[in-house]
Amino acid sequence: MIWLASFPRSGNTFFRNVLHEVYGIASSTYHRDPDRNLDANFKDFPVVKTHLLPKDLPASLRDLPSVYIIRDGRDSLVSIAHHRKDIVAPGSDFYNNLLEAILAQEGSFFGGWSENVQQWTDKADVVIRFEDLIANPIEEVEKLRSIVDLPPPALEKLPSFKDLKFGRPAYGGGKGQNFKTERAQLHFRKGKIGAWQEELPPSLEKLLMAQHGPQLIEWGYAKPASAAPPKQKRVMIEANKLYSSDNDGIKRYLAELLNGLKVILPHLPEWQIALYDHKNIQPLIQREEAIEAPDSEFRTLDEKEAILKDRRKMGYEKKLLLFKIFVKKNLPTALYEPISNYYRQGPFRRMLQSIQQRAMRWRYRKKKDDIKAALQSADLIHVPLPQHMPEVPETSANILVSVHDLTHRLFPEYHTQQNIQLAEKGMQDLIRRKAHILNVSQSTLQDVQAAYHLPTERLHLCYEAADKSQFKPSLRQTNIDRLRKKYGLPDGPYLMCLSTIEPRKNLRNTLKAFIELKIQQPTLDISLVVCGKKGWKTGEIFSELDLERTDLCFTGFVDDAHLPLLYANAKVLCYVSFYEGFGLPLLEAMSCGTPVIYGQNSSMPEIAGAAGLPADPEDVSQICHQMQQLLTDEQLWQDKSREAWRQANRFSWLKAALETLQIYDKVIESSRP
């Protein structure tokens, strides 16, 4: 037995078919994919194909003779992105597949092209270039005679690439009853040398060369760069939001963006990015502290108390949390609940927030000289929302501000006067300082342009995303009995709403539509689960509605860790808001393969695409009709579920991080002579 190794999409399957047709040599495959069968007797085959690194092979077989096929990594990576889109994960996004394959995080994609090439070419007895294999298959296969006995070749049986693509190949099209000619056509895409030049986006080509350039140069696929190294670019990101007690959408946006940047930055050393808050400056790539998720609702008070005490720094916020836990542990529930409600609704909470803001400003003043010096030397300062603009010192550096929506101007009735003033003050400040704006949707960009008439070159677009590792369709198979008990969910199927309960989210009309649906079809087995904490004007929202129905469930606040399971097991997410700057819950539900009903306005059609059904937020009967459509037409539901996953896969935090870097670059370069 010998190993036939390669990075995926490097000609391994073509090689196996030549061995089979011309030399009559069958081969097997060794892999670790739990979703694919492994030949029980694979060791009895004369040739065994693998993409695994040498260290991942069975120890007893690791030192057997081996041949390695190497192909230009740019062609291989472009091809693997298509292969995933067409065969491995049909409907996934080519760009995001390619980005993930280039980065090969945590050893994925068989270690990544460079690592796979380096380990195998150091070990292999024979190395064959794909380009030579395509040009002269027999000459290259004959090189195996140095490590294995080959019979005389039947040259008349040599298959062409076209024969394999449109015929019935022994390998690459499926076997036996599972054989599909169309699968072979997808598997054998082009077999073309240099096809990457037609399909590799320039932004990803730069990242690919940064990651894999040394190996490409060593094997003659690329030439050493002759230009001077790129100029260092210094960026400061304002990060006070990371330490906020709220786990709102802005904090999540900032945390996910920073996590994406941390993955990419090691491959682009020209970027020097640091975070700053009211008291610290820290290089992003050196930041070891994890961004904390909110405490799990499953934790006991004793566990929360121990976690707090274990933290090294004892600020006043920590003392307040410990005091709150002490009170909750020692007061009877009947006494604690009214006190807690009075605290939330009374003046004390606002007083503490005011004290917190003053303390932040005081701490900031202590460090302001150091921070101001760092900001002055930066090429760009990125502020995650306009309300933080007043905290940015006057500086000559470029400023980029992320704008998530303009609800304070378009729908002031949904905000407090204080919120409106803070948001508008931030917007006016960034306009005065000629800042650039990063908009999270095309809809938001158009709103900003219409409201403030800014030059188009100062407006940029970069979408948010959902974490695909957390939100995924496979969770639909997970038992959620524990969550049903915790949140009081019904036993049967359910529609889901998710938002803070406030007027802008249009929960009132969603509830009215659901009640109308159940009146029209009383035997329909469906409940409505409303997830989210109370916001403001809940009395107006719930006025004159029958909330005591057994098919209505109000969960209150839902822990972030539980959201993916609730999305995945819902039949539909109802998110018929009056306005959204982006609408992250739509994307999270869609990532789980859950169809959506969304408001026909603002960014929601842009984000949802064909993943659900739109509705006029003011039209209760239309919302009801869309519910009825998705609940009673199984084929429609299946189609929308598939489209939901496809549409969600077009968004990625890694893509957002890379595009944000491109915006940084554009802003910095635009200010240079």
Side-chain angles (χ1 to χ4, degrees), residues 342-464:
Y342 183 68
Y343 163 73
R344 285 195 295 267
Q345 299 170 11
F348 301 106
R349 195 174 195 179
R350 290 193 297 274
M351 289 171 58
L352 286 173
Q353 289 174 341
S354 177
I355 292 170
Q356 181 185 32
Q357 291 170 358
R358 290 180 183 179
M360 284 176 62
R361 285 194 290 269
W362 179 79
R363 288 197 295 262
Y364 181 76
R365 280 197 294 270
K366 290 177 65 178
K367 284 277 188 177
K368 70 176 183 179
D369 290 340
D370 291 342
I371 294 173
K372 188 172 182 179
L375 295 179
Q376 284 287 2
S377 66
D379 294 303
L380 182 140
I381 301 167
H382 184 183
V383 184
L385 75 165
Q387 286 89 328
H388 287 197
M389 273 299 296
E391 302 296 329
V392 180
E394 295 292 335
T395 173
S396 59
N398 296 290
I399 298 175
L400 175 71
V401 184
S402 294
V403 173
H404 302 267
D405 61 58
L406 285 187
T407 53
H408 76 283
R409 280 182 73 108
L410 300 175
F411 297 93
E413 65 272 23
Y414 298 146
H415 287 273
T416 65
Q417 193 60 36
Q418 182 185 25
N419 287 343
I420 294 171
Q421 291 173 354
L422 285 173
E424 188 58 26
K425 181 181 179 182
M427 291 300 300
Q428 293 301 327
D429 198 19
L430 72 85
I431 291 170
R432 175 183 64 82
R433 297 170 72 172
K434 297 183 178 179
H436 288 248
I437 295 177
L438 188 159
N439 302 274
V440 298
S441 67
Q442 185 65 43
S443 170
T444 298
L445 188 152
Q446 292 168 354
D447 291 340
V448 169
Q449 178 71 305
Y452 299 105
H453 308 290
L454 299 176
T456 55
E457 61 268 19
R458 283 166 52 195
L459 300 178
H460 311 274
L461 173 64
C462 182
Y463 290 108
E464 297 182 31

